[in-house]
Amino acid sequence: MTNNSYIISPSIGWLILAVLSILWLGLGLYWGRKAKNLEGHMLAGRNVGMALGTATVMATWVTSNTTMLAPQFVLEMGVWGMLAYSTAAIGLLLFAPLAKRIRTLMPKGYTSGDFIRLRYGKPAWIVFLFISIFYSLIWLISMGMAGGILMNAIAGIPYALGTTVIITVCVGYTLFGGLYAVIGTDFIQSVLIMIGIVIVGFGIYHVFNFDTIYSDLENNRPMLLNLLFPAALMSIFNNLLFSLGEVFHSNVWWSRTFALRKEVGKKAYTLAGLAWLPIPIAAGFIALASDSLGINIVRPDMVGPLVAANVLGPTGAVIVFIVLFCSLASSIDAVLAAISDLITQDIYRKIFKPHATDQELKKFAAYIIVLVGIVALLLCLPRIGTLASILFFAGPMVGSTIWPIATGLFWKKANGKGALWGMLLGSLCGLVSYFYLGWYTSSLVGATVSMLTVLLCTYLFPSNFDWEKLDEPTT
Amino acid sequence: MLKTYLLIAIFLALLPYCVRSEIPDLKIANGTETKQGVVKLDWTVSGQNSLENYELQEANTPSFTQPKKRYDGNDTGTFISGLKNGTYYYRVRKVGDNWSNIVSVQIKHHSLTLAINLLILGAIVFIITTALILFSLRNQNK
């Protein structure tokens, strides 16, 4: 099961990898000097402005999932797949008003776990932490795998080495620079991603012949053009709800909300959502041309980079390599920082060491970043499943968090029972549908069951929550 | 005389292995029944040369009366998607050599009723979620 047609030589691949690695590590060290205390390290001083804020949100959302999973969606689900993937922008757009509300209710907040603990109590908090950490690890694994697959397919760099390098580099600069480095590198990465995608888009537009693509699809992959393709129809709202759950619950987005200036969050998320929208459509479309261009696809998650790199030749392949390395790095660093904050703040500080000093917490956060990096790397190496099947395994759990978060932010009557059982029953039913119907249904089922459970519990056991409790004093 | 018979016996015993090593071993990586219309095929040849050229054929009957060329190149796998309902047969060979074993996959898409019901359910959940956020925001701003 190998693809034997590399587009650039391994030596050029290693050279690009070395240059980018040195650049990110250097910037990590440089920006790390700005983080004088814990708040600086974890939340970049809560003072991030509009430009950096929009860039970090957009760059984090342009991950391997956009550049590699969107084309996979289109290759497997056809024209509906393109629409299904682009609905992920709605996750950012609907989170924009929530960001404003979160900043108002929790001016001194650190993590999404803080919110669940204060709002719903410990049992729901424990389940939430499990879901959030599990999802972050799955996301991290899918991105580590994507890095290895990409470097192998384009430059022939062995999978294990490619994965190791990208995770090590991201661990390195997140460790040195904290959220300052993550946001700073995100800005540069988002600029490189945008430039790269425009170049790739123009290059491909000149090569494609739309009539040939259509007739080749009709002959070889007819269901991709069929508007009544059952699995594709199921995937539309499944992907939308998966992305809502991802953004609503994940500490990646909450930590950015706390890091942005209060008045900036809503605008930054809205702008980033709109800027992100065309990227998966462009990235996804090129997958439809693989047959017409005579490109053999060995793994569906490699279709995007392979088509782009083949069409544009070695120079284009270098651009694709840089764009994808940036998009992966910008998300891996974000997840590493978010997962480390969650474990440090929610588990270490809240359970084991309430009076820990800033230095002790920073040191512990650093250990966690390294540990999570090692665990993710070890889980990446066996290369189980495709990116879609791995990422959507977290779908039921992620989908089941939408309603506990949304109602918890607005409804006084929302209660711990609803949140706890919504997450548990939603996850369970979603997992059943993952195995019996397919990965393209699990978030939809999880979110639906969770919504019904939350509504029922709110009706049966209404609480009268005092919003002031969310403004927890820092110790 | 005995020595000659012995040599012939050894030759005959080893012959199948020698012949088999030249023929690719074709496998379906994602199961023989799928509801998504996708097939992932891998093949291996012992002593494989990465510059070897392979040809993969698809047909609707095991006798390959009307075969369709699906792939021609030196990769040792391929991913096919967008297939309609039906049974599909595949075989592969090194160009100019013997064909491999035949594998088959049955494509049976989900029922359209189930798909449309889930589509409507998803739309309802999304609309209610959006309404919850927008109405709550309006109430906050009052």
Side-chain angles (χ1 to χ4, degrees):
Chain A
M1 194 227 25
T2 53
N3 188 321
N4 295 321
S5 339
Y6 305 126
I7 300 146
I8 54 175
S9 69
S11 52
I12 294 177
W14 280 114
L15 183 69
I16 301 169
L17 208 55
V19 170
L20 290 174
S21 303
I22 292 167
L23 177 68
W24 304 141
L25 286 169
L27 287 171
L29 276 170
Y30 173 72
W31 274 311
R33 284 191 243 152
K34 287 178 81 174
K36 306 280 184 225
N37 54 20
L38 187 70
E39 203 157 278
H41 187 77
M42 284 187 171
L43 300 173
R46 297 184 195 269
N47 195 31
V48 177
M50 188 68 186
L52 279 177
T54 309
T56 186
V57 171
M58 203 203 82
T60 304
W61 211 215
V62 183
T63 158
S64 57
N65 305 347
T66 312
T67 45
M68 293 167 83
L69 196 54
Q72 180 184 350
F73 245 71
V74 178
L75 187 70
E76 293 191 24
M77 302 291 188
V79 285
W80 279 128
M82 211 182 315
L83 175 78
Y85 205 89
S86 64
T87 59
I90 295 171
L92 293 181
L93 295 174
L94 273 186
F95 189 70
L98 300 193
K100 191 179 172 190
R101 176 86 176 145
I102 291 165
R103 271 304 239 140
T104 308
L105 291 174
M106 301 178 72
K108 296 186 278 289
Y110 272 92
T111 67
S112 53
D114 277 344
F115 169 74
I116 295 289
R117 178 177 50 82
L118 295 166
R119 181 67 184 83
Y120 292 127
K122 274 196 173 174
W125 176 58
I126 291 166
V127 173
F128 179 82
L129 279 185
F130 173 79
I131 289 176
S132 202
I133 292 170
F134 179 79
Y135 159 76
S136 302
L137 258 182
I138 290 269
W139 190 11
L140 208 50
I141 292 164
S142 76
M143 287 187 291
M145 277 177 59
I149 295 168
L150 164 83
M151 291 174 209
N152 181 254
I154 292 185
I157 293 172
Y159 169 79
L161 274 178
T163 304
T164 309
V165 169
I166 194 163
I167 291 183
T168 308
V169 169
C170 291
V171 164
Y173 76 78
T174 310
L175 198 64
F176 299 135
L179 201 62
Y180 276 119
V182 170
I183 291 177
T185 48
D186 277 359
F187 184 78
I188 300 170
Q189 286 156 353
S190 68
V191 171
L192 288 174
I193 290 167
M194 290 299 255
I195 294 171
I197 282 177
V198 170
I199 293 171
V200 171
F202 273 110
I204 285 175
Y205 181 77
H206 283 290
V207 174
F208 279 178
N209 180 332
F210 291 92
D211 291 338
T212 316
I213 292 172
Y214 186 85
S215 61
D216 283 341
L217 283 173
E218 224 173 13
N219 287 331
N220 297 326
R221 304 178 195 258
M223 285 303 279
L224 299 191
L225 298 171
N226 189 339
L227 294 182
L228 295 176
F229 181 178
L233 289 174
M234 292 175 183
S235 75
I236 297 172
F237 282 101
N238 182 71
N239 196 60
L240 192 158
L241 292 168
F242 180 64
S243 71
L244 277 194
E246 280 184 289
V247 182
F248 279 25
H249 97 279
S250 172
N251 198 45
V252 167
W253 309 103
W254 283 67
S255 62
R256 273 156 184 68
T257 303
F258 293 128
L260 297 172
R261 280 185 220 131
K262 193 181 171 187
E263 69 282 6
V264 163
K266 189 177 172 185
K267 288 178 202 159
Y269 276 98
T270 307
L271 206 59
L274 294 173
W276 180 88
L277 185 64
I279 296 173
I281 295 175
F285 175 76
I286 61 175
L288 295 176
S290 60
D291 282 345
S292 307
L293 298 167
I295 298 166
N296 182 45
I297 304 302
V298 177
R299 280 181 65 99
D301 39 16
M302 273 314 301
V303 60
L306 275 181
V307 173
N310 267 291
V311 165
L312 300 172
T315 315
V318 170
I319 296 170
V320 170
F321 194 100
I322 293 171
V323 168
L324 289 177
F325 188 88
C326 290
S327 63
L328 287 168
S330 66
S331 306
I332 292 176
D333 61 8
V335 181
L336 281 170
I339 203 170
S340 137
D341 290 359
L342 205 61
I343 294 174
T344 306
Q345 276 294 324
D346 284 69
I347 299 176
Y348 183 65
R349 187 184 217 174
K350 295 287 164 12
I351 298 175
F352 297 107
K353 227 170 176 186
H355 303 293
T357 62
D358 272 13
Q359 282 312 310
E360 283 174 322
L361 291 171
K362 264 183 85 171
K363 203 172 166 185
F364 184 79
Y367 287 139
I368 292 298
I369 289 172
V370 175
L371 182 71
V372 170
I374 293 170
V375 171
L377 178 59
L378 291 176
L379 292 171
C380 281
L381 293 178
R383 206 173 168 177
I384 34 158
T386 65
L387 293 180
S389 63
I390 287 174
L391 192 68
F392 279 88
F393 187 65
M397 292 171 229
V398 166
S400 74
T401 60
I402 298 172
W403 271 70
I405 296 278
T407 54
L409 281 168
F410 292 110
W411 289 1
K412 281 186 161 208
K413 289 181 179 176
N415 54 71
K417 281 192 183 75
L420 175 68
W421 288 105
M423 288 189 281
L424 285 175
L425 292 176
S427 302
L428 190 70
C429 296
L431 274 177
V432 172
S433 89
Y434 179 96
F435 288 110
Y436 284 94
L437 289 175
W439 55 263
Y440 37 84
T441 60
S442 59
S443 302
L444 166 56
V445 172
T448 307
V449 172
S450 170
M451 180 184 85
L452 294 174
T453 312
V454 169
L455 284 173
L456 185 69
C457 289
T458 307
Y459 177 72
L460 292 176
F461 318 104
S463 78
N464 185 21
F465 187 74
D466 175 12
W467 297 118
E468 297 290 318
K469 285 183 184 170
L470 289 174
D471 189 9
E472 189 183 37
T474 46
T475 48
Chain B
M1 192 67 177
L2 187 65
K3 197 177 166 187
T4 312
Y5 284 134
L6 194 63
L7 280 173
I8 290 170
I10 292 170
F11 173 76
L12 288 174
L14 290 176
L15 186 63
Y17 293 99
C18 300
V19 173
R20 199 178 301 158
S21 68
E22 295 298 313
I23 299 173
D25 180 22
L26 180 62
K27 283 182 185 140
I28 298 178
N30 63 329
T32 52
E33 259 188 57
T34 149
K35 292 181 172 180
Q36 207 195 325
V38 299
V39 187
K40 192 171 179 309
L41 295 161
D42 298 326
W43 53 91
T44 47
V45 183
S46 54
Q48 192 174 309
N49 176 353
S50 66
L51 295 174
E52 219 56 82
N53 252 30
Y54 299 100
E55 180 187 353
L56 175 78
Q57 281 189 346
E58 178 189 89
N60 297 109
T61 57
S63 56
F64 282 80
T65 41
Q66 284 184 308
K68 179 177 176 181
K69 193 195 278 184
R70 266 295 184 173
Y71 173 63
D72 184 1
N74 58 14
D75 291 342
T76 54
T78 195
F79 179 80
I80 299 166
S81 61
L83 294 173
K84 288 182 174 175
N85 279 339
T87 304
Y88 296 83
Y89 298 87
Y90 296 93
R91 65 184 181 183
V92 67
R93 68 173 174 180
K94 264 169 37 176
V95 173
D97 215 326
N98 292 327
W99 288 106
S100 71
N101 55 314
I102 295 170
V103 294
S104 69
V105 62
Q106 197 187 3
I107 308 288
K108 195 179 174 194
H109 286 282
H110 294 281
S111 84
L112 198 54
T113 316
L114 174 70
I116 288 174
N117 283 339
L118 283 176
L119 183 75
I120 293 169
L121 183 67
I124 292 170
V125 175
F126 169 60
I127 289 166
I128 296 175
T129 309
T130 309
L132 155 75
I133 294 169
L134 297 181
F135 281 115
S136 304
L137 275 176
R138 204 180 63 172
N139 291 339
Q140 294 297 321
N141 292 335
K142 271 182 186 173

